[in-house]
Amino acid sequence: CRSPTRTLAAGDILFFYLSKSSDLIRSQCLTTVGVVEEAQLAKSTDELIRLVGRRSVYARESLDLMKASRDSPVLVIDFLLSGHLKPPLSLEALLKSRAFVSNPPQSIKGLEESTFEALSPEMHLDFE
């Protein structure tokens, strides 16, 4: 991704938010949880392709179009999928807990520990 975030470290928890989509029931919800294995900056297309290996959701053509360079590196986040929230956490719950102050962020956003603690009783992972 092109996130300016440079603070991800192994062991950090990732929550995935699904943006608004008229054809998806779970849109505008926190749906999935993962754990960071490693975060690295790719400074060339060859390095990007090497770092993502076969774990990317992007085809090679899409990786080429990212045009990773020293001046415009691409953040590569290797993570382990931990599970899916059942039920997903709604935008309303995220706003109420102050995880989001207004609109959902368009990039990676950190959560204060107190916000995570407020949300965690509502998080139920589905490992089936």
Side-chain angles (χ1 to χ4, degrees), residues 61-77:
E61 296 78 25
S62 296
L63 296 172
D64 287 337
L65 292 172
M66 290 183 184
K67 300 192 183 306
S69 69
R70 286 200 180 280
D71 295 332
S72 184
V74 174
L75 178 62
V76 177
I77 306 168

Side-chain angles (χ1 to χ4, degrees), residues 13-61:
I13 299 171
L14 296 172
F15 295 100
F16 294 86
Y17 177 81
L18 182 60
S19 299
K20 187 173 184 175
S21 176
S22 59
D23 56 334
L24 296 174
I25 287 177
R26 294 182 175 166
S27 75
Q28 292 190 286
C29 290
L30 210 60
T31 61
T32 304
V33 180
V35 178
V36 174
E37 286 187 306
E38 186 173 23
Q40 302 175 76
L41 292 174
K43 297 176 182 149
S44 71
T45 298
D46 287 341
E47 185 178 22
L48 176 60
I49 291 167
R50 183 181 57 78
L51 289 175
V52 301
R54 296 175 185 252
R55 293 180 70 175
S56 178
V57 297
Y58 296 106
R60 178 172 177 122
E61 296 78 25

Side-chain angles (χ1 to χ4, degrees), residues 92-104:
E92 182 180 301
L94 296 166
L95 290 169
K96 183 178 179 184
S97 71
R98 312 271 306 146
F100 298 163
V101 177
S102 58
N103 295 322

